[in-house]
Amino acid sequence: MSTAQVLADIQELDLSLMRDAGTLEGMPEVRELARKRRAYLKLKGEASHLLGERKDIETDLAELDEDELACTAAVEEAQAGAAGLSYHEVQDLEIRLSDLAKRLDKIAHTRTERTEALAAQTQREEKLTGYLTALERAITEETRQARQRAAEIQERMASHRAERAELAAALAADDLARYEAARTRFNGLAVEVLSGAVPSICRTTLSAASLADLSRAGEVGECPYCHRILVTLPEEES
Ligand SMILES: [Zn+2]
């Protein structure tokens, strides 16, 4: 392979490596995944908040049950001792029973309210759990896809690096050094290919005198305008 061809090929590989590195760096899937993971954590926090609220309601309901048992026992106890009471004692008893009945009413009322709150809370939790499950699945699947895509890019980069190392080994040391210097200077676009009288990057048509200079310099020259390495590739056989 001619030095000109090796230089052009190395540049192709380097540009592809740069593109792939950029793609890996800025993979939109990775940003989207980060966004989903943040949303997931936020929802998890909300779910544990809802759970805490439900536990409170359940505690309230358990306390209502205890209150109700105590009231019912007090009613039974009062009724059991009703026989043989004086007029005043019966009046006291009726007041106590009436108070207990009011307390039981209030307990029943509060229980209805708390039971409704529990149902609403449970519904909110179920909705959130469903959303969390869907988000979890999406994150798992998208992570798998992103890893696969990254792995494909990394594989391609590894094979391009190997190919590049082989080509670089085939170049004379000063040609390689010249290429590396131009690559740094021109941000990757170090080598122009001459097509007729027009270099492929700066696209400034060369004068007849410049073309004559170039052909004297051999297959690897320098563009008189942009000073990139200018190569002439042998015509491809069709
Ligand atoms: Zn040029």
Side-chain angles (χ1 to χ4, degrees):
M1 205 189 282
S2 68
T3 301
Q5 187 67 60
V6 173
L7 283 171
D9 288 353
I10 284 190
Q11 169 160 283
E12 274 309 303
L13 290 168
D14 280 343
L15 289 175
S16 162
L17 280 164
M18 267 168 71
R19 271 195 304 274
D20 279 345
T23 306
L24 269 185
E25 193 113 329
M27 269 173 64
E29 297 95 315
V30 173
R31 273 200 300 280
E32 175 59 16
L33 264 172
R35 192 192 66 75
K36 282 207 171 85
R37 288 202 183 101
R38 278 196 301 276
Y40 181 79
L41 285 180
K42 200 171 158 226
L43 287 179
K44 270 280 189 196
E46 212 172 299
S48 81
H49 181 68
L50 285 184
L51 176 70
E53 284 179 343
R54 175 160 59 82
K55 292 286 170 204
D56 286 347
I57 297 173
E58 284 168 352
T59 304
D60 288 350
L61 282 167
E63 279 171 11
L64 287 171
D65 286 346
E66 275 176 37
D67 280 357
E68 191 182 44
L69 276 177
C71 282
T72 311
V75 169
E76 278 166 9
E77 195 190 313
Q79 281 168 341
L85 292 179
S86 72
Y87 174 73
H88 284 297
E89 287 170 330
V90 168
Q91 275 196 321
D92 283 349
L93 177 65
E94 275 172 2
I95 292 168
R96 273 176 59 208
L97 283 172
S98 157
D99 283 348
L100 285 168
K102 276 181 205 152
R103 267 177 69 188
L104 282 167
D105 266 358
K106 198 171 168 235
I107 287 169
H109 178 79
T110 310
R111 180 185 284 119
T112 306
E113 186 263 311
R114 297 273 77 192
T115 305
E116 277 166 10
L118 182 64
Q121 192 72 10
T122 307
Q123 216 171 29
R124 275 196 287 274
E125 278 186 81
E126 276 168 4
K127 203 171 148 192
L128 191 57
T129 303
Y131 195 49
L132 273 170
T133 309
L135 199 53
E136 230 171 70
R137 272 201 211 108
I139 288 172
T140 308
E141 176 56 18
E142 281 169 34
T143 302
R144 194 188 62 73
Q145 284 173 2
R147 285 210 182 109
Q148 194 183 334
R149 179 147 180 262
E152 280 165 14
I153 295 172
Q154 279 157 347
E155 257 171 59
R156 181 168 64 224
M157 287 177 83
S159 107
H160 282 171
R161 275 196 208 97
E163 221 178 304
R164 189 211 192 266
E166 237 173 82
L167 290 177
L171 273 182
D174 52 346
D175 283 334
L176 185 60
R178 189 177 164 194
Y179 167 75
E180 294 291 6
R183 184 157 81 105
T184 308
R185 181 173 169 199
F186 299 106
N187 198 23
L189 294 171
V191 182
E192 299 191 281
V193 178
L194 192 62
S195 169
V198 183
S200 57
I201 297 173
C202 71
R203 309 206 61 83
T204 313
T205 307
L206 300 188
S207 66
S210 295
L211 284 171
D213 285 348
L214 269 176
S215 68
R216 267 195 301 280
E219 56 177 318
V220 181
E222 183 181 305
C223 173
Y225 298 108
C226 69
H227 302 290
R228 290 184 171 89
I229 296 168
L230 185 53
V231 299
T232 311
L233 297 182
E235 302 246 333
E236 274 181 40
E237 287 169 29
S238 52

